[in-house]
Amino acid sequence: MTYHPKSDFVAVMMERGFLADCTDYQGLDEALMQGVKPAYIGFDATAKSLHVGSLIQIMMLRWFQKTGHQPITLMGGGTTKVGDPSFRADERPLLDDAAINENIAGIKKVFSAYIDYDSEAPNKALMLNNAEWLDDLNYLEFLRDIGRHFSVNRMLAFESVKSRLDREQSLSFLEFNYMILQAYDFLELNRRYGCILQMGGSDQWGNIVNGIDLTRRVLDNSIYGLTSPLLTTSDGKKMGKSQDGAVWLNADMRSPYEFWQFWRNTTDADVGRFLKLYTELPVDECERLGALAGSEVNAAKVILANEVTKLLHGAEAAAAAEATAREVFEKGGIGDDLPTLTLTSAELGDGISIVQLIVKSGLAKSGKDAKRLINENGAKLDDKPLNDAGLMIDATALLSPIKLSAGKKRHALVQLET
C-alpha cells in the first residue's frame, strides 16, 4: 500500500518499519493532526519483567509521545487473571492478586526509562490498571450491556482462536472471555480519557478490532487500531529469546552487560532493521550502518548495542558494558562489568564441581548441557580450554576470581564472598 502520511507519528511508524496494519490509515492520520490524542498498549502481568519481545511496543509508545501525543500504558491487573489465549497452545497458569501486583511493580520499573510520566506537558503519559474497572463488574449487567454486542460465530472465526480449535486444543470459557474484556478496556479508555488508538503486536489484531466495534456500538465513537509485525530474527528465532533464555528488560533479571551483549550478537542481516526499530538514530544512518559488510558491520553492532542499552539503562551502563566487552574479547582480560557469581563459604563447602559452577553462573541450563559444553571443547576456565568435567573447585582456587567461558561470546566470573 502506498500512503503518504501527514502526521509525524504515522510517518515514523511507516518509515522505521513499525507498521504491520491499521484499521484506517487516513482516519487515524487526520485525527492525529487535530491536537494531542491519547493511545494505549496493554501489558499483562505474567512475569516480574517484560522482555525484549515487548520492546517494539514500548518504542511505539515512546515515539507517540515524542511526536506530541499522550501514551497510556495499561497494566493488566484484571485481564491477567484470565490470560490471553491468542495463538497459545495451552492455558496460561492462573496467578493470584499478590503475584499479579508483584509482577506489575516489577514491570513498571522499565517504562519510566522510555516514557515521561512526570512532566506538566499536555501529553504527559498515564499509567493505568484495568483492575480499576474490571474487578468490580457486575456479571449479569456486563453480559446484558456488553456481552450482547459480541457474536460467538465471529469470535470463533478469529485466527487466534481458530488456530487453537483447529488443532483440537482446549479453549476454556475463562480464556474465551479475554477478548471481551480487552475490548471493554478500549471502551472504558475512550469513555474516561478520550483514547482514540490501541496499538499492539499483530497477534492482537482480533482483540483490537473487537474493541473498536464495541466502542462504535456503545458510544458511537470513531477509534482506531494499529499493529506492529511480530518480529523474528533473520534466522527465524522469536525476538526476545537467547541461548540462555528470555532477554529480560529489568536489570535485576538481566544485567546491563548481558543486555548489551545480546544486541552486540545481532546477526549481520538484522542490524539495519533493529537500528530503525530500537534506536532513535536517523533512518538514513540506520540504513548506512545496516549496509556495512565484513568486519565493518561489527562497529555497527556496537553502535546498536550502545544505543539500545543507553535508552534502557543509561549512557554510563552502556559505556561500562562496551568497556567490559573490549577487555574480555579484545584483550582476553576480566572486565569490571562481567556477570558475577558470588559463592558463600557454606555454598562452596569442601569444593564444588565445575559443572555446577557453569550452571549456577548461567552459562548452561543444566548439568547435562554443561557436560556437553565441556566434552565438545566449548568451555574455558581463565581463557584456557576446560576438558575435565569432573574438576572440583575449592577455596584455594577462588583466592582470586576465576573466569568461565561458554563459546567465544558468553562469560562469567566466579568469586568467593569476602
Side-chain angles (χ1 to χ4, degrees):
M1 173 193 160
T2 302
Y3 178 75
H4 301 289
K6 302 171 187 174
S7 68
D8 290 342
F9 177 71
V10 176
V12 167
M13 290 297 98
M14 287 185 162
E15 189 177 34
R16 300 189 79 95
F18 283 97
L19 197 51
D21 213 340
C22 180
T23 55
D24 180 355
Y25 290 94
Q26 188 171 348
L28 173 61
D29 206 22
E30 290 174 356
L32 293 177
M33 293 298 291
Q34 296 167 15
V36 176
K37 299 295 181 183
Y40 89 100
I41 299 179
F43 299 88
D44 278 346
T46 53
K48 292 178 183 177
S49 170
L50 299 175
H51 60 64
V52 163
S54 297
L55 193 51
I56 188 168
Q57 273 77 51
I58 296 172
M59 289 299 293
M60 289 165 79
L61 288 172
R62 180 176 171 87
W63 278 113
F64 196 68
Q65 188 170 46
K66 283 177 71 73
T67 54
H69 299 287
Q70 182 179 42
I72 298 173
T73 46
L74 182 66
M75 296 290 100
T79 42
T80 304
K81 295 171 187 173
V82 175
D84 185 358
S86 297
F87 296 101
R88 286 183 61 86
D90 55 2
E91 190 170 351
R92 290 185 188 275
L94 294 180
L95 302 176
D96 61 20
D97 285 348
I100 290 170
N101 289 333
E102 186 180 355
N103 288 347
I104 287 175
I107 289 169
K108 282 181 176 180
K109 296 175 186 175
V110 167
F111 286 106
S112 58
Y114 292 91
I115 301 164
D116 180 12
Y117 297 91
D118 301 320
S119 75
E120 296 304 316
N123 67 332
K124 177 178 103 170
L126 298 176
M127 182 171 287
L128 306 173
N129 187 332
N130 63 15
E132 182 183 335
W133 51 82
L134 294 182
D135 276 3
D136 297 324
L137 285 176
N138 179 295
Y139 186 60
L140 289 178
E141 284 183 10
F142 185 72
L143 286 180
R144 186 192 62 202
D145 298 340
I146 302 300
R148 66 189 179 91
H149 294 295
F150 288 83
S151 160
V152 171
N153 307 58
R154 186 163 178 254
M155 291 164 73
L156 289 172
F158 281 118
E159 188 58 35
S160 57
V161 174
K162 188 173 180 293
S163 60
R164 184 144 154 197
L165 297 178
D166 286 347
R167 295 193 299 269
E168 298 184 356
Q169 290 163 329
S170 174
L171 178 72
S172 73
F173 179 69
L174 177 70
E175 292 176 286
F176 194 58
N177 275 271
Y178 185 93
M179 63 179 73
I180 301 178
L181 295 178
Q182 185 171 327
Y184 186 68
D185 282 345
F186 204 172
L187 169 65
E188 280 297 313
L189 288 170
N190 181 254
R191 179 156 44 201
R192 296 176 183 219
Y193 301 96
C195 182
I196 67 159
L197 173 64
Q198 182 184 357
M199 301 183 286
S202 56
D203 60 335
Q204 294 299 310
W205 181 256
N207 291 334
I208 292 172
V209 169
N210 270 332
I212 292 170
D213 188 51
L214 176 65
T215 304
R216 181 182 57 78
R217 289 169 181 266
V218 175
L219 301 178
D220 196 27
N221 288 342
S222 295
I223 56 176
Y224 309 93
L226 184 153
T227 58
S228 62
L230 287 183
L231 280 189
T232 56
T233 56
S234 58
D235 53 3
K237 292 178 183 173
K238 189 175 180 180
M239 191 62 185
K241 301 289 185 181
S242 72
Q243 190 173 354
D244 53 344
V247 183
W248 301 108
L249 300 180
N250 286 24
D252 58 345
M253 294 177 67
R254 186 88 177 190
S255 75
Y257 170 78
E258 292 171 300
F259 183 78
W260 187 96
Q261 196 62 47
F262 169 79
W263 295 99
R264 170 61 182 82
N265 292 340
T266 296
T267 56
D268 295 2
D270 290 324
V271 172
R273 182 169 57 130
F274 287 0
L275 281 164
K276 288 181 189 176
L277 291 171
Y278 299 112
T279 81
E280 294 177 341
L281 293 177
V283 170
D284 56 355
E285 177 66 0
C286 295
E287 291 174 346
R288 183 190 71 80
L289 291 168
L292 296 175
S295 60
E296 286 186 330
V297 77
N298 290 328
K301 293 179 184 182
V302 170
I303 291 171
L304 171 65
N306 281 338
E307 292 296 319
V308 181
T309 305
K310 197 185 300 180
L311 282 175
L312 177 59
H313 296 297
E316 194 173 311
E322 182 182 1
T324 292
R326 291 192 186 284
E327 179 70 22
V328 171
F329 297 114
E330 294 180 11
K331 302 176 185 176
I334 295 176
D336 294 335
D337 206 27
L338 212 58
T340 301
L341 170 67
T342 301
L343 297 173
T344 63
S345 297
E347 287 175 310
L348 183 63
D350 295 330
I352 187 170
S353 75
I354 195 70
V355 167
Q356 283 181 279
L357 283 186
I358 290 173
V359 174
K360 280 179 172 286
S361 62
L363 297 178
K365 292 182 180 178
S366 65
K368 185 178 179 181
D369 286 343
K371 287 176 182 176
R372 185 187 304 116
L373 185 71
I374 293 170
N375 292 335
E376 293 176 356
N377 301 315
K380 288 185 178 180
L381 173 60
D382 288 333
D383 297 318
K384 295 176 182 175
L386 175 59
N387 303 313
D388 182 6
L391 179 66
M392 298 295 292
I393 301 294
D394 57 19
T396 304
L398 288 174
L399 288 173
S400 59
I402 61 173
K403 176 182 170 187
L404 294 176
S405 304
K408 295 180 180 180
K409 297 180 178 179
R410 299 167 59 234
H411 310 269
L413 294 183
V414 180
Q415 64 184 15
L416 191 58
E417 186 179 64
T418 54

